[in-house]
């Protein structure tokens, strides 16, 4: 379904077509009674929560009165209502303290996006043909209910499945309850670039299955192994705030920041020292530092406790990891190893961070454990000690992700015997796009085509939504009640909640309320006890202890936008009693032979689009990527010397080929990347994702090999080798900057 | 009107006619002369060699100068706006306007004085003969009294005699 | 009389670009689309310049947010024949959209190249237009525009201060430009340079402070605090 | 004064006015169409936006202002040269002055239009007129663009008058042999000219004064055009040499333009006996002189930059010297310096065709010079991050072509209604001219043109 058709389809329900039918409102100006009365010309401030990443930053919404075109009983006119105008950080919020990142600033365009689905749609053409027709909510919900009802009667509860993005709101809890009471397996969470490896590692080392919270502001040394702490990873805003204070917040004291990575990220650009190590050897380097520190005698192996015990040879001081050995393995000069070790041990509190590519290797788990051990060795772990874990509010803990992965689901569908009824009769898709986000090797698209009936709650027609049979568009976050339990970014347990900031623009419904309605019509044996999603959130929040001056946590949360645990933070849970299995270093395995495929392929999460879910926002498309200054395009980053050797100049169209796929993108000369590495940002290459992203650039995921992290089985997305060749054609690279260097000298 | 004149094909004979007319007591100012070219070498009318046009031009320049100096300065004071930290009345740039206006004044004044002095811009009097632009030189007098008429014709005999009754 | 200025701490700036989008959202800055962007016609009032230094592996990358410097001796102002560009009493380098006839002379004269021009009429595909900030006028084709230090916020703050503060003065920090407000690492600090106690005055006096292209003598109101290099644990 | 000769002169010089051939209408039609095309392009640009051009950030100025400077430069052919020649009373000037002054008037009109086409909002151009707006705000006289406004309009008015005054006697000449509507029109134009000694004398002294006044104006005009650039702190613009550099360049290109125009007139109007090899000799020498002067300015400009080695200016220097703009630079040097030096310094080569070839080269070279002044400096401004480049859009090219067509059109119409050589001045002077040939003068113009006249154009 191309854009034009889409607009047509959605228009019938939405205002525009009816407007066309009745002429434009200027001609026959009808003003309906205001939906919402606001002081004219003055701004009202309301609360919300940024939904774009798991950090869960508090948002202050600037709402002002405005006119919108509406159709009431077939009559076109305008009505006054409150409209969100600008998003700011919520000043008091523990996570983002009044700040908001570039993506959060752009989040407002999600609500006003011209290609938003304006009402329920039903597939008319072939699946995937993209042909839909509008239906009423009653029909739509009736259709879904009847199908589920049929499943329930035929005892095929197992035929209902759900895919969702990781949810840290009570929607996750609702989904779990819904599926459980229906009798279906738990939802599959899809988040290909997630941090499961690190969570598992943290559980192993410290007994907390959670991402850490860093006290960067008061640290004196920050050593990051490939973690994009200032860009996109974990809780970027709170980390940026801390970083600023670490630099200039303490008179006379300026912390040092070292970044270890083969391709200079936005984060790496800020480092005092940038250390390129061979991909996948970060853990080895970390242990090299640990060995040097222990050898210096300032720290004893025992100091690392359980985290150290998980590393083979730790208790004997890691003799294997001499600086020379580290140099041969990682390519980092032994001098540098010793220098880093000395500085790391001397400048306490010192923090070591690992995330991103280092964990996306076959030995990712080991790398994570090694860095955990390094932190533990210098005593940086624990509340108020650099690396901590934000306590989770009891009774409100987000649902842990299900055991099954999207790949297992896909296999189950694909392996079902031909002729037999498809194992998945009804599939619910909530705010996730596996068709775009999963490597082709996982064959997610094929699998979905074998599903009986697909229902999407998405607000936009993306690659996955395009395969849906029924689309029940959700509200945007500004239009609905939002709640969130941050995983990290604060010292105390907290939970955010906010009522809607504005009325829905289109004929959409809250996914949670839709589920509740469907549940009602299905009369479960033990029905869901909540009328609306608000009931659910309120009852859940009211289990929390109300803060000073409030008689309910729910009221407090709505009043301030968040609730923070006033009681002294609970001690860290003890590490699991399970017996300790020490891990030995194993060299990272790569898909593709080094002589056939010369280059390591490093896809990275884009500053603008994250994993691609934000590629539809024009502000972010036109945002010059800060390192490459590229806009509206995707690109392949090549070391200048490599490019010269290949006869490639900036903007040339090149072909990136792995054993599993091939993509084309313009080359971008990038001084900050190792000669044997090619990097490419995620996010572009959407086949079908609104007028702004469709058919733009290439998707690096398409060349990824289905390599596994050996212990967790997570996708090792940095373990693919590729080759590159210059080919004919327009590169289509669009950059803002005219020169690479400030002392750029022109040809003489 | 009446007029008696002759057309000459060469300046010499025209000059002679003029001299003859003068000798018989006709005032220079009464003698009408028209030529297709300046022919200043022949000094048909010495009284015209003096002119005050230069001074008119200078005067015009002066007026233009004053105008050109006051226009920018006064308008700048009228609504004082700071641009680039320059003084409100910025002498340097204003000098350029002043200069242009001065020159414009001088030129316009010159043209005006030309129009007035040369009695341009009025309809052609009846006393005119198109042959003048056929490279003939016209010498004659308007409204000669019957008394002097014969002498005049005598004086003009060098050329092709004509009269306007 | 206030004099508005900004301090940019390059040692804090992480290049996160929150300021860039915040500026778009606050000031109704249109997006121009790929074809126009390729021609170099993007409308960013604020950009983060990046410069590479050295070669792999000893390579460095420097970020520098560049916005209108609101120069006291702004080269862009006197060249405008219609006074569309002039200097306010509060040190703002103002652009009067209604008087702009689009000679684009100011954009040439500006050494920082922070003026952007509407080569076409801006478009907001409905309902994106509902997001437009009513406090900021939308500019038409042929008009030059630029950073205003969020003058609409300044005016709001003045009214607010008159109403609520007994001295009627704006409290330092109560007024922030959109970019400074969003700046995650607090690298951008906006405020009144006349007020000696304001943070921006304090920072502008810093030993690390310098002006961009200071040698041109444009007298910018923006001070850049240079990046520091690391010194071992506290000893200076 | 020789009747036969003078009659012959009158006949020859009036011939173009007498009859009109079909070819003429075709020429006018074609030129008119091309000119119109430019205006249509402008209309498109106004409707859809200035974005149709290739302009961008950082290159905010392009073809329109390049051609503006180019045509203002061409305009320095006429009035300035003829004024100088009048003052030094060079006898050979007489056949040259009018066609030179005509170039000035037309080039100024064309050049003056281009800045308006260049505007982002041309419909508001009247903001430039020194007149207060509704709130009593006047234009900003500190802006070089206002200086342009005053200088160009002064120069335009002055040159038009300077062109018109010596026409009056010729208008009278035509009046006396015309009938009907023509008689009325030329009668009005000749403002009652009779040719009395007073009128002749006043006219000549007026021309003297105007010649004196108009030279500084002409100089100031192109100095101020150069200020448009020199006032901005842009690499290789902010230079004190620009004033004289531009004036020299203007006269340079002006003379070249004049030589080309004269050669064409000579051919088309069969004026071989009036515009003789001597005139081309003289103008050729003048062109050579200006070429040397131009070379001197370019050298001193570039030497200063290179020696100063300012890190903001060197990128522009190298871009034009060895970089992406180098081809234009070296073509310019060849056209403006090498070619004229070879062709004009040598008596044998300084023939009419030699002069024309050199002039064509100079016109091209001077256009390139303006391009090299405007574009590279803007492409490489102080902050390397903002560097860019420029390719003209189709309206810019269309308008440029149409400016040349407009020039030709105005000139074609001019020679149809006005003797391109000042008849009375020519008769008055002593200089090489046609041999006497007694012929019968028609007392009045024939209704339809004679065959001879038919071939005239």
């Amino acid at each position: 379904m191309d854009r034009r058709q889409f607009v047509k389809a959605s228009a019938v329900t939405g205002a525009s077509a009816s407007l066309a039918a009745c002429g434009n409102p200027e001609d026959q100006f009808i003003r309906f009674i205001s939906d919402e009365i606001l002081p004219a010309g003055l701004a009202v401030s309301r609360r919300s929560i940024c939904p774009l990443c798991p950090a869960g930053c508090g948002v202050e919404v600037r709402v002002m009165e405005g006119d919108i075109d509406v159709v009431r009983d077939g009559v076109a006119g305008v009505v006054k209502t409150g409209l969100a105008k600008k998003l700011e950080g919520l000043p008091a919020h523990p996570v983002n303290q009044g700040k908001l990142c570039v993506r959060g600033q752009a989040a407002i365009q999600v609500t006003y996006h011209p290609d938003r689905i304006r009402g329920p749609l039903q597939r008319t053409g072939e699946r995937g043909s993209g042909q839909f027709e509008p239906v009423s909510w009653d029909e739509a919900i009736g259709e879904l209910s009847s199908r589920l009802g049929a499943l329930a009667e035929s005892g095929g509860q197992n035929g209902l499945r759900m895919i969702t993005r990781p949810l840290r709101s009570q929607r996750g809890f609702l989904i779990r309850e819904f599926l459980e009471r229906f009798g279906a397996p738990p939802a599959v969470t899809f988040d290909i670039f997630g941090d499961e490896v690190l969570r598992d590692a943290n559980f192993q080392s410290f007994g907390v299955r959670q991402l850490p919270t860093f006290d960067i502001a008061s640290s004196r040394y920050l050593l990051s192994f490939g973690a994009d702490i200032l860009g996109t990873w974990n809780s970027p805003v709170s980390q940026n705030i801390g970083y600023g204070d670490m630099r200039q917040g303490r008179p006379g004291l300026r912390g040092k920041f070292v970044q270890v990575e083969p391709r200079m990220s936005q984060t790496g650009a800020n480092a005092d020292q940038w250390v390129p190590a061979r991909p996948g050897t970060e853990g080895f380097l970390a242990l090299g530092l640990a060995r040097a520190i222990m050898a210096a005698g300032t720290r004893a192996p025992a100091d690392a406790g359980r985290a150290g015990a998980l590393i083979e040879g730790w208790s004997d001081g890691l003799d294997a990891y001499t600086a020379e050995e580290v140099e041969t393995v990682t390519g980092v000069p032994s001098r540098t190893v010793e220098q880093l070790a000395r500085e790391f041990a001397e400048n306490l509190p010192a923090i070591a961070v690992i995330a991103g590519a280092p964990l996306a290797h076959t030995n990712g788990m080991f790398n994570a454990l090694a860095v955990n051990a390094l932190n533990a060795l210098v005593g940086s772990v624990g509340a108020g000690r650099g690396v901590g874990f934000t306590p989770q509010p009891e009774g409100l803990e987000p649902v842990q992700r299900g055991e099954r992965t999207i790949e297992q689901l896909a296999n189950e569908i694909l392996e079902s015997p031909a002729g037999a009824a498809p194992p998945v009769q009804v599939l619910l898709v909530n705010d996730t796009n596996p068709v775009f986000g999963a490597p082709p090797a996982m064959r997610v698209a094929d699998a979905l085509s074998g599903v009986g009936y697909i229902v999407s709650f998405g607000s936009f027609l993306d690659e996955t939504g395009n395969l849906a049979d029924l689309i029940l568009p959700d509200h945007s976050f500004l239009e609905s009640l939002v709640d969130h339990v941050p995983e990290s970014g604060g010292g105390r347990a907290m939970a955010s909640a906010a009522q809607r900031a504005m009325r829905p623009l289109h004929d959409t419904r809250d996914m949670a309320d839709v589920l509740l309605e469907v549940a009602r019509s299905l009369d479960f044996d033990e029905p869901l006890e909540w009328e609306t999603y608000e009931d659910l959130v309120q009852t859940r929040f009211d289990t929390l202890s109300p803060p000073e001056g409030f008689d309910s946590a729910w009221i407090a949360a709505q009043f301030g936008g968040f609730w923070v645990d006033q009681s002294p933070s609970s001690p860290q849970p003890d590490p699991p009693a399970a017996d300790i299995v020490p891990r030995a270093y194993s060299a990272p395995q790569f898909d593709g032979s080094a002589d056939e495929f010369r280059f390591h392929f490093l896809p990275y999460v884009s500053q603008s689009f994250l994993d691609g879910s934000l590629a539809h926002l024009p502000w972010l498309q036109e945002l010059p990527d800060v390192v490459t200054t590229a806009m509206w395009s995707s690109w392949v980053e090549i070391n200048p010397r490599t490019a010269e050797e290949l006869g490639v100049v900036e903007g040339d169209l090149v072909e990136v080929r792995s054993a599993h796929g091939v993509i084309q993108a313009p080359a971008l000369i990038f001084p900050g990347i190792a000669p044997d590495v090619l990097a490419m940002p995620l996010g572009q290459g959407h086949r079908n994702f609104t007028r702004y992203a469709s058919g733009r650039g290439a998707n690096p995921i398409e060349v990824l090999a289905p390599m596994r992290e050996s212990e967790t089985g997570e996708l090792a997305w940095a373990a693919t080798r590729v080759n590159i060749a210059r080919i004919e054609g327009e590169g289509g690279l669009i950059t803002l900057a005219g020169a690479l260097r400030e002392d750029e000298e022109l040809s003489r | 009107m009446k007029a008696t004149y002759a057309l000459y094909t060469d300046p010499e004979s025209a000059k002679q006619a003029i001299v003859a007319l003068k000798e018989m007591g006709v005032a220079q100012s009464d003698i009408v002369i028209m030529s297709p070219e300046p022919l200043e070498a022949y000094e048909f009318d010495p009284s015209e060699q003096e002119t005050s046009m230069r001074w008119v031009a200078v005067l015009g320049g002066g007026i233009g100068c004053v105008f050109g100096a006051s226009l920018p300065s006064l308008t700048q004071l009228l609504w004082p706006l700071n641009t680039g930290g320059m003084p409100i009345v910025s002498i340097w740039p204003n000098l350029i306007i002043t200069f242009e206006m001065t020159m414009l004044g001088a030129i316009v004044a010159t043209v005006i004085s030309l129009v007035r002095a040369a009695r341009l811009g009025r309809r052609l009097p009846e006393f005119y003969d198109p042959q003048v632009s056929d490279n003939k030189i016209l010498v004659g007098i308007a409204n000669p009294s019957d008394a002097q008429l014969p002498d005049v014709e005598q004086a003009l005999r060098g050329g092709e005699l004509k009269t306007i009754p | 009389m206030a004099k508005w200025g900004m301090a940019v701490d390059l040692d804090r700036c992480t290049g996160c670009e929150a300021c860039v989008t915040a500026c778009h959202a606050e000031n109704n800055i249109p997006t121009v689309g790929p074809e126009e962007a390729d021609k170099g016609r993007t409308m960013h009032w604020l950009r983060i310049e990046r410069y590479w230094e050295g070669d792999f592996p000893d390579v460095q990358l420097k970020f520098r947010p560049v916005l209108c410097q609101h120069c006291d001796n702004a080269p862009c102002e006197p060249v405008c024949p219609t006074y569309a560009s002039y200097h306010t009493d509060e040190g703002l380098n103002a652009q009067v959209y209604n008087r702009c006839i689009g000679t684009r002379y100011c954009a040439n004269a500006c050494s920082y190249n922070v003026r952007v021009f509407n080569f076409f009429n801006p478009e907001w595909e409905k309902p994106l237009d509902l997001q437009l900030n009513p406090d900021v006028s939308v500019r038409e084709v042929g008009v030059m525009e630029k950073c205003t230090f969020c003058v609409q916020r300044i005016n709001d703050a003045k009214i607010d201060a008159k109403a609520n503060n007994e001295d009627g003065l704006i409290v330092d920090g109560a007024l922030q430009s959109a970019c400074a407000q969003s700046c995650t690492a607090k690298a951008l600090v906006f405020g009144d340079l006349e007020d000696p106690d304001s943070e921006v005055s304090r920072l502008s006096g810093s030993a690390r402070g310098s002006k961009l292209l200071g040698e041109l003598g444009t007298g910018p109101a923006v001070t850049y605090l240079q990046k520091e290099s690391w010194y071992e644990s506290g000893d200076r | 004064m020789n009747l036969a000769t003078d009659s012959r002169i009158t006949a020859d010089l009036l011939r173009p006015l007498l009859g009109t051939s079909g070819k003429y209408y075709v020429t006018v039609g074609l030129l008119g169409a091309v000119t119109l095309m430019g205006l249509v392009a402008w209309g498109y640009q106004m409707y859809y936006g200035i974005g149709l051009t290739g302009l961008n950030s950082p290159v905010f100025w392009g073809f329109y202002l390049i051609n503006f400077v180019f045509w203002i430069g061409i305009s320095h052919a006429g009035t300035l040269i003829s004024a100088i020649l009048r003052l030094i009373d060079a006898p050979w000037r007489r056949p040259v002055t009018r066609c030179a002054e005509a170039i000035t008037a037309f080039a100024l009109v064309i050049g003056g239009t281009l800045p308006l086409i260049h505007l982002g909002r041309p419909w508001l151009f009247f903001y430039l007129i020194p007149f207060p707006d509704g709130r009593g705000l006047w234009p900003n006289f500190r802006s070089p663009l206002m200086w342009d406004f005053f200088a160009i309009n002064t120069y335009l008015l002055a040159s038009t008058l300077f062109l018109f005054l010596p026409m009056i006697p010729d208008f009278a000449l035509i009046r006396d042999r015309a009938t009907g509507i023509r008689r009325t029109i030329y009668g009005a134009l000749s403002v009652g000219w009779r040719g009395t000694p007073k009128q002749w004398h006043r006219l000549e002294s007026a021309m003297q004064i105007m010649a004196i006044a108009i030279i500084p104006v002409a100089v100031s005009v192109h100095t101020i055009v150069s200020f448009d650039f020199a006032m901005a702190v842009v690499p290789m613009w902010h230079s004190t040499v620009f004033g004289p550099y531009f004036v020299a360049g203007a006269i340079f290109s002006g003379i070249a333009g004049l030589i080309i125009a004269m050669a064409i007139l000579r051919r088309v109007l069969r004026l071989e006996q009036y515009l003789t090899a001597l005139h081309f000799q003289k103008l050729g020498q003048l062109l050579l002189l200006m070429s040397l002067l131009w070379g001197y300015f370019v050298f001193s400009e570039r030497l200063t930059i290179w020696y100063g080695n300012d890190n903001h200016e060197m990128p522009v220097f190298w871009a034009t010297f060895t970089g992406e703009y180098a081809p234009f630079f070296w073509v310019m040097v060849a056209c403006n310096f090498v070619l004229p030096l070879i062709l004009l310094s040598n008596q044998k080569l300084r023939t009419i065709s030699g002069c024309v070839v050199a002039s064509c080269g100079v016109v091209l070279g001077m256009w390139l010079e303006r391009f090299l002044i405007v574009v590279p400096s803007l492409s490489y401004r102080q902050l390397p991050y903002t560097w860019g480049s420029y390719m003209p859009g189709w309206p810019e090219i269309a308008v440029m072509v149409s400016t040349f067509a407009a020039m030709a059109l105005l000139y074609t119409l001019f020679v149809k209604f006005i003797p391109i050589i000042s008849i009375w001045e020519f008769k008055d002077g002593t200089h090489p001219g046609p041999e006497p040939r007694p012929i019968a003068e028609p007392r009045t113009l024939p209704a339809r043109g004679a065959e001879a006249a038919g071939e005239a154009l």
Side-chain angles (χ1 to χ4, degrees), chain B residues 79 88 100 128 133-134, chain D residues 6 135 142 176-177 220 427:
Chain B
W79 192 319
I88 293 304
E100 297 298 338
Y128 176 73
S133 47
D134 275 346
Chain D
D6 290 357
R135 302 171 169 209
R142 306 177 194 114
D176 294 347
R177 37 191 73 212
S220 78
K427 293 177 185 164

Side-chain angles (χ1 to χ4, degrees), chain D residues 377-389:
Chain D
S377 289
L378 291 177
S379 308
Y380 299 99
R381 305 260 290 280
Q382 281 90 345
L383 297 173
Y385 187 90
T386 67
W387 285 354
S389 64

Side-chain angles (χ1 to χ4, degrees), chain A residues 277-342:
Chain A
R278 293 208 184 91
T281 64
E282 291 82 0
F284 201 97
L285 175 59
L287 294 182
L289 302 188
R291 182 202 155 279
I293 292 171
M294 290 190 270
T298 48
R299 292 276 165 174
D303 298 346
R306 175 187 170 89
L310 288 166
I311 306 295
E312 194 170 85
W314 181 274
S315 48
D316 335 341
L318 298 169
D319 312 329
Y321 298 86
T322 62
E324 295 65 26
E325 187 57 23
V326 172
E327 176 162 1
T328 48
V329 173
T330 67
V332 177
S334 51
R335 274 181 294 93
T336 314
V337 177
E338 280 147 2
Q339 166 236 338
L340 290 177
R342 181 172 50 77

Side-chain angles (χ1 to χ4, degrees), chain A residues 584-618:
Chain A
Y585 172 78
S586 63
Q589 305 301 310
F590 294 98
D591 175 272
S593 66
D595 40 353
E596 187 185 354
F597 299 100
R598 282 182 54 195
F599 301 94
H600 293 285
F601 186 61
L602 177 65
Y604 63 91
V605 175
S606 145
Q607 178 184 28
S608 310
F609 311 132
L610 296 180
D611 59 0
S613 50
L614 305 183
H616 59 318
L617 302 185

Side-chain angles (χ1 to χ4, degrees), chain D residues 201-217:
Chain D
H201 178 263
R202 293 292 182 275
L203 178 61
E204 297 224 313
S205 20
M207 291 307 289
Q208 284 289 321
I209 299 171
M210 296 213 22
I212 296 167
I214 214 158
I215 291 170
V217 173

Side-chain angles (χ1 to χ4, degrees), chain C residues 52-75:
Chain C
W52 290 97
E53 287 171 16
D55 291 306
F56 184 88
D58 305 315
V59 59
Q60 271 193 318
L61 193 54
K62 294 250 164 79
F63 295 135
R64 182 206 287 146
V66 178
L67 64 162
C68 173
Q69 308 284 305
H70 292 273
C71 311
D72 289 340
N73 305 327

Side-chain angles (χ1 to χ4, degrees), chain C residues 137-175:
Chain C
S137 57
V138 171
R139 287 76 59 182
E140 78 165 354
V141 64
V143 174
M144 192 63 67
E145 59 184 67
K146 57 175 277 299
C147 161
T148 61
F149 266 168
C150 288
V151 66
Q152 69 278 9
R153 291 186 175 209
I154 296 178
N155 294 335
D156 284 358
K158 279 189 199 154
I159 296 166
D160 185 65
K162 274 207 188 65
N164 305 330
N165 307 357
E166 63 284 342
D167 59 359
L169 295 178
I170 300 172
V171 184
D172 184 44
L175 163 62

